[in-house]
Amino acid sequence: MTLLHWATISPLLLAILIPFLYKYLRSVHTGWFVLALPLVLFFYFIRFLPETSDGGVIEQTVNWVPSLDINFTVFIDGLSLLFALLITGIGSLVVLYSIYYLSKTKEQLHNFYVYLLMFMGAMLGVVLSDNLIVLYAFWELTSLASSLLISYWYHRKKSTYGAQKSMLITVFGGFAMLGGFSLLYVMTGTFSIREIIGNVDTTSSLFIPAMLLVLLGAFTKSAQFPFHIWLPDAMEAPTPVSAYLHSATMVKAGIYLVARLTPVFGGVPEWFWLLSGFGIVTLFWGSLSAVRQKDLKSILAFSTVSQLGLIMCLLGLGSASLYFGAGTDTTMYTTATLAAVFHLINHATFKGSLFMTAGIIDHETGTRDIRKLGGLMTIMPVTFTISLIGTASMAGLPPFNGFLSKEMFFTGVLNATELEIFNMKTFGLLFPVLAWVASIFTFVYCMILFFKTFTGEFKKENYDKHVHEAPFGMLISPIVLGSLVVVFGFFPNLLSYTLIEPAMNAILPTVLGPDEQFYVNIYHWHGFNTELFMTIGVILFGTFIYLMMKKWAKLEIYLRERDPLNKVYDGSLVLLASGSHTITASFMRGSIRQYLIYIFSFMVLFIGYMLFKLNAITFTGEGSAPITFHETTLALIMCIAAITVAFARTRLTAIISLGAVGYSLALFFVLFRAPDLALTQMVIETVSTVLFLLCFYHLPVFKEKFEKVPFRLTNLVVSIGVGALVTIFAISAHYSKSFESLASFFVDASYKEAGGKNMVNVILVDFRGFDTLFEILVLGIAAVGIYSMIKLRLQKEGS
Amino acid sequence: MEIIISIVVGILFTVGTYLILSKNMTRIIIGTGVLSHGVHLLLLTMGGLKKGAAPLLGQEAPFYTDPLPQALILTAIVISFGVTSFFLVLAYRTYKVHGTDDMEKLRGIDHD
């Protein structure tokens, strides 16, 4: 274990200590103990910046299960470092924010910080692992921790509903992803991502299934259409959780995975189309749905969905450059990847700050409903300023960083129309149109978010609390994030050399020639081009729609807050439960007779089929014993007695006939030279009959009415089947003996080795004495059982 | 001879299965009795019904019948006796406690 490994799992280790800190140091808010860790980790990871920006990588391996090629390999390059910094940086801010957000006395803080640290450790593990299986393990841990955090207020029904939903959807995707990873292993023979890159055969028949399964994992985690429905319901979590998990980190795990595996799958039309297609649909759908929401956090949730779609789409468009390979000028396409990485950072900053301000508003006013809010501008000036920066950046207004990434996004989709591969000639135009419309809606919900909260009249009766500005501690984190929005807006190239270029190197490693390097320079002003006019159009149309909102607010689609896809989800859950109940109830009827019929029919059909199939039915007639008069007569008597049992209408007839069968069996034993058996059978049969007769008066009388005909017919068919099968089986088995019996050994050895002349008895007590021992045990247990059943009278039910 | 005995075994199995499938508890127990008779006879038949002396070395015969199946059957007889008697008492107790011997009515507690 190197320091890097310890750093990766340190949040998990600290999580173990949290309950003790919470219990024994009650006077201090537990969050203060937690805060140190992400801060230290943040600065620890910053130290790697110089190395990765020079194109270097750090790799440390600890063997875990080397025989299965599962090793805990921590691997740092530009992409994983970018994510690690996001996780630890925003993690510190969120912990700081939560210290002021969550009450020390009212909340169960130990639970909160244990889950949060668990999540942080898992997330670090996801982005730093090079081994797919280890990555998967951490991946599932993030799902688990996320569900725990969503249901933090577990007494609320909506929280548990949201937690269950996110769990079901993300774990479903996680399993699919595991399948994809296994297929990758089958194709390449290794779980290491570094080794898989370049070793994958794109023409293999497993390539597309592996891609689909991996993407299913990424799409469910990153809330892509139609799996985005869990994200809005996850808003029941405390706001720090929403800010951390559901805007900045966990939902970007899918983005990370896609970016990480782009060198594996990229460059083929399927990857390009799946990513950019689902991305753009998610972008459009998310922005459209966000406009309908009435709750601040729901707006932000759908906005997150939409922005994640944007990043996903850009990653898809950027993957086209892998098609061309090194040497050609692919700047046109790599712009999309650049925009994706840049927007990833931007989104983390402004969405984090917006969630925190939404939390502040909720905390200070007691409501998040935009129909109740309004006029907070002068009352909460700091929150107002941060929100202004955040929403303006999200809407894509200059001079904030959102503007820059939105311009690059437009460049990306416009370049996509000029792409000459992957059928883009036909469908290419779809991208800029959808992107542009989605941007208009993005602009509209940003305006709603901002104006409905801060402008207008201040109605005191709408609020339960005395409304005032948040305490300073709560404002620190949003201020930091808001400042970053501004800083990255004015000085975008701060990030270019340190973070974006190394990340692009990791996403598109084969695009560059040996000595080339990505050269990223983000300009504010790039002349009067199409992108700029598109932005102006967005602003004009957006403002127009916002001003006309009263008009179309009555439209049915606007009133519907819940995503219609929820109906599919809820319906399928109900259908699944009722369907499985119906199926189970249809054959698990509680009737022992039915189960026996299943068992017997299966036996007859299966064994019968196999007998036919394997041509096992043999009858040679060789070596049979001669047919004699005595035995045939006895067989006849036995059959008559047996059939009498079946048709007996009284208990007595049945018992006597059963006795007759038993005594005939004893006679058979006599005829077939088995004196000990005959003796035992005689005695046992007598005792059994006596037992039956003893119970005779206590046994219930047979029902006067016999069972109905169809009932008896089924029984008859099944039992004749069983009988016929056994007969055929017995005959076939008898005539296909493949080796001699052991009899000669017992004949030789009985006297010589065991000193007995009665071979059967010698076998019972000497050669196979263990059988006898346990048979005695069986009798003993039966005796004890009978005794206790008669003697012990437990209390009746209910008493 | 084996064929005739095999058919007898088949009939015993048929009767046993038929009884086990009925609703009445007593008939089910009787059915298990018939079934175990069938099984014992089957075991004996499978060992071969060739004529030889009983497996007693004192007979000093050139051939003996196979002693191993006989030992197995002896064990089986005793065990099936134990189980049958247990079942019998179990049926008696069930009838006393629940007042019915109809298997269709003995379905445990309905959870729904």
Side-chain angles (χ1 to χ4, degrees), chain A residues 36 90 134 140 171 191 204 286 322 357 466 512 592 676 737 779:
Chain A
I90 296 186
V134 177
E140 291 296 21
V171 168
F191 279 125
S204 161
L322 287 169
T357 52
H466 170 67
L512 296 174
I592 195 149
D676 298 287
K737 279 213 175 84
L779 269 192

Side-chain angles (χ1 to χ4, degrees), chain A residues 239-271:
Chain A
T239 306
V241 172
S242 309
Y244 189 39
L245 273 69
H246 307 127
S247 73
T249 52
M250 186 177 94
V251 286
K252 293 204 170 106
I255 303 274
Y256 168 79
L257 190 76
V258 164
R260 178 53 86 204
L261 295 178
T262 295
V264 178
F265 293 111
V268 296
E270 290 86 355
W271 180 259

Side-chain angles (χ1 to χ4, degrees), chain A residues 26 28 53 93 135 193 227 303 340 349 353 400 446 468 507 523 548 581 587 644 655 671 709 724 742 788:
Chain A
R26 286 304 291 261
V28 187
S53 48
L93 294 175
L135 191 152
I193 300 173
F227 306 112
S303 140
T349 53
S353 73
F400 304 111
C446 288
H468 56 86
I507 301 174
Y523 300 101
M548 301 294 283
H581 185 258
F587 66 91
T644 317
I655 292 168
L671 289 176
V709 177
L742 283 174
S788 45

